[in-house]
Amino acid sequence: MDNDKPFISVLIPSLNSQDYIKQCVESVIDQTLEDIEILCIDAGSDDKTLEILNQLAVEDSRISIFNSDKRSYGYQMNIGLDNSSGEYIAIVESDDFIEKNMLADLYDLARQYDADIVKSTFYHFYDAPGSEKSKEINESKKGLKNIDAFTLLEQPLIINGHPSIWAGIYKNSFLKENNIRFIEEKGAGWVDNPFFYETAFSAKRIIYRHVPYYNYRETNLNSSSNALNDFTIPIRRMMDNMDIVEKYGCKDEFVLKQVYLRAFAYIYNILRRDGHEEHMSELRPLIQEMLLRLDENIVLKYLRRKHIDNYYKFLSPIPIIDDDKFEVVITHKDLELIKKENEYLYSQIKKYKKKNRSLKKENKLIKNSNAYKLASTFSKPFRKLK
């Protein structure tokens, strides 16, 4: 390592974060690991965010401020990556904050194992007005085995749960060698998803510790996870994830199980949101396109009944009316198929009706025969006894 370079470059993208930015940056300034650089990338905030950043930069020479001419999280992050010189990269979002020993602890693990990625769990942090502040530990990766460095194939559970790309550090040279960057979507755009997948699929040495250091604020109503204005974003990002799966030629069933679970989680994320019904004519073809990329055998083998039922429901050409109010688009081809099926069923009904008429005629002939009448007369006394 070049001794002139900082151990970690911390990237902080911001946009109108005046209520949180000071706490965020100060939590980085106060890290026990001091040999860091702090790169703040602001996307033209209209509030006092930039004013607060400038004041903090005067007080701490490790802070550099960059102005983004696009309001794009991915574009901001790429500015940070291009200007970083640290051995490792860390990300702290402007409405969150980190524990004092986060960078020191993760960096020690990174150096010990020469890791491409060091990840940890995180706190869900709540501070809604009028309520007491509280934290809870994210448990989505608790099932990971406590081993040293591993790959995605060895521990597929690493891609379970929230992408949480900020709850970790990444070797800078690893990102550059694999040309890992952010999609430059307008706004936030959930572009952490493909970054999360690209790093996980390409890493040779991943370290995970179930220790929370990062405080992920759940009560900022303006955050990208809470304020979703474009309902197509989760599905489009999931298809970006699938592009990465195909790029690496992954056929491992346990990895694909985690990928498929995320696909369904994102469908349900949309359906839980108010107003999604108005966009179903646009959303349903996208959902179908995504689900058609899943291996049906893996869906049936590993996923729960709920997911299997929805898999077939979303892909069905037959109109389905249920609580989710799905409007199914019927193509001309679908109509022709349904027509043929109906014609077959109608022909079968006609066939059995004709056979039934024939049987009735035979029954009538039997009843009118002398043999039937004689047998009926002979058996009559015995029927009375019964």
Side-chain angles (χ1 to χ4, degrees):
M1 184 191 74
D2 189 334
N3 291 328
D4 293 332
K5 292 183 177 181
F7 295 144
I8 297 179
S9 298
V10 184
L11 313 187
I12 305 177
S14 61
L15 175 62
N16 295 332
S17 306
Q18 64 178 13
D19 294 336
Y20 311 112
I21 192 67
K22 192 170 191 291
Q23 180 188 29
C24 169
V25 178
E26 286 184 343
S27 75
V28 179
I29 291 172
D30 293 340
Q31 288 294 296
T32 56
L33 182 69
E34 296 181 352
D35 194 356
I36 63 174
E37 63 176 1
I38 305 169
L39 282 60
C40 301
I41 312 100
D42 188 74
S45 292
D46 302 316
D47 61 4
K48 295 183 179 179
T49 299
L50 201 53
E51 180 182 331
I52 295 168
L53 286 175
N54 285 325
Q55 181 57 43
L56 290 169
V58 170
E59 298 169 3
D60 195 314
S61 61
R62 295 174 299 173
I63 298 175
S64 299
I65 300 173
F66 299 86
N67 295 306
S68 168
D69 57 354
K70 295 179 184 177
R71 291 193 168 185
S72 162
Y73 178 93
Y75 183 75
Q76 289 171 264
M77 294 302 295
N78 288 337
I79 290 175
L81 290 175
D82 289 340
N83 288 277
S84 64
S85 60
E87 184 186 0
Y88 281 82
I89 298 290
I91 301 163
V92 183
E93 299 196 343
S94 59
D95 54 348
D96 300 332
F97 60 99
I98 58 178
E99 302 296 316
K100 285 187 175 183
N101 57 327
M102 173 176 170
L103 298 184
D105 286 1
L106 297 187
Y107 183 72
D108 284 347
L109 286 167
R111 293 301 303 277
Q112 180 182 348
Y113 293 101
D114 189 27
D116 296 322
I117 304 171
V118 181
K119 291 274 287 185
S120 70
T121 191
F122 60 94
Y123 289 115
H124 295 275
F125 177 75
Y126 303 90
D127 64 343
S131 302
E132 289 188 10
K133 294 179 181 179
S134 63
K135 295 181 179 184
E136 64 180 43
I137 299 175
N138 181 277
E139 303 284 10
S140 63
K141 296 178 177 61
K142 191 174 182 179
L144 282 169
K145 297 174 184 175
N146 188 23
I147 61 175
D148 294 336
F150 60 88
T151 64
L152 172 62
L153 289 176
E154 292 168 330
Q155 295 224 63
L157 197 63
I158 191 67
I159 57 170
N160 183 45
H162 195 295
S164 59
I165 62 171
W166 21 257
I169 60 174
Y170 309 83
K171 186 184 286 185
N172 206 344
S173 60
F174 155 73
L175 297 179
K176 287 181 169 60
E177 287 166 8
N178 290 279
N179 195 31
I180 299 175
R181 297 174 66 77
F182 286 82
I183 294 174
E184 296 182 359
E185 172 103 358
K186 182 180 179 182
W190 289 35
V191 296
D192 55 344
N193 269 262
F195 180 87
F196 170 50
Y197 264 48
E198 190 80 59
T199 52
F201 274 82
S202 56
K204 300 291 191 296
R205 301 179 66 79
I206 304 172
I207 299 294
Y208 176 81
R209 292 293 182 267
H210 197 68
V211 180
Y213 299 102
Y214 191 98
N215 293 276
Y216 176 60
R217 194 183 305 270
E218 295 279 9
T219 43
N220 178 9
L221 298 179
N222 295 317
S223 68
S224 60
S225 57
N226 289 327
L228 183 65
N229 298 318
D230 182 352
F231 289 108
T232 69
I233 286 175
I235 306 303
R236 290 191 287 113
R237 288 297 83 78
M238 193 62 223
M239 286 200 281
D240 289 333
N241 290 345
M242 290 178 174
D243 288 342
I244 293 166
V245 174
E246 292 171 8
K247 170 184 170 182
Y248 287 91
C250 180
K251 302 295 182 183
D252 184 87
E253 292 187 356
F254 296 105
V255 173
L256 293 178
K257 174 188 174 182
Q258 296 301 328
V259 175
Y260 294 4
L261 287 172
R262 182 172 298 277
F264 281 101
Y266 285 0
I267 293 173
Y268 304 146
N269 183 294
I270 294 170
L271 299 181
R272 285 195 299 267
R273 295 178 185 264
D274 294 336
H276 76 269
E277 299 92 345
E278 300 172 12
H279 303 275
M280 284 312 300
S281 59
E282 178 185 11
L283 283 168
R284 193 170 190 285
L286 273 177
I287 292 173
Q288 286 184 321
E289 182 183 349
M290 178 181 72
L291 293 181
L292 284 169
R293 298 176 70 173
L294 308 188
D295 184 325
E296 184 179 13
N297 293 324
I298 294 177
V299 171
L300 294 173
K301 185 175 180 180
Y302 291 106
L303 302 195
R304 290 184 296 167
R305 172 54 59 185
K306 171 187 176 182
H307 304 321
I308 294 170
D309 289 346
N310 284 320
Y311 174 77
Y312 287 116
K313 181 180 75 173
F314 298 159
L315 290 178
S316 171
I318 310 299
I320 298 171
I321 300 173
D322 57 22
D323 293 338
D324 294 327
K325 299 179 181 178
F326 273 98
E327 297 178 6
V328 183
V329 179
I330 304 297
T331 66
H332 179 71
K333 185 177 179 181
D334 296 329
L335 287 173
E336 286 298 316
L337 180 61
I338 294 167
K339 183 179 176 182
K340 286 180 181 179
E341 290 176 351
N342 287 341
E343 287 174 353
Y344 171 75
L345 291 173
Y346 183 64
S347 69
Q348 292 296 100
I349 291 170
K350 284 178 68 178
K351 176 182 174 182
Y352 286 113
K353 279 184 175 179
K354 185 178 179 180
K355 188 172 183 179
N356 189 46
R357 286 194 299 269
S358 176
L359 290 171
K360 282 182 177 180
K361 285 180 181 180
E362 289 180 16
N363 188 46
K364 188 175 181 181
L365 288 171
I366 291 170
K367 284 184 176 182
N368 289 331
S369 69
N370 291 330
Y372 179 85
K373 290 176 181 178
L374 182 62
S376 180
T377 301
F378 179 76
S379 64
K380 192 172 183 180
F382 297 102
R383 289 200 302 273
K384 284 184 178 180
L385 286 173
K386 187 178 177 182

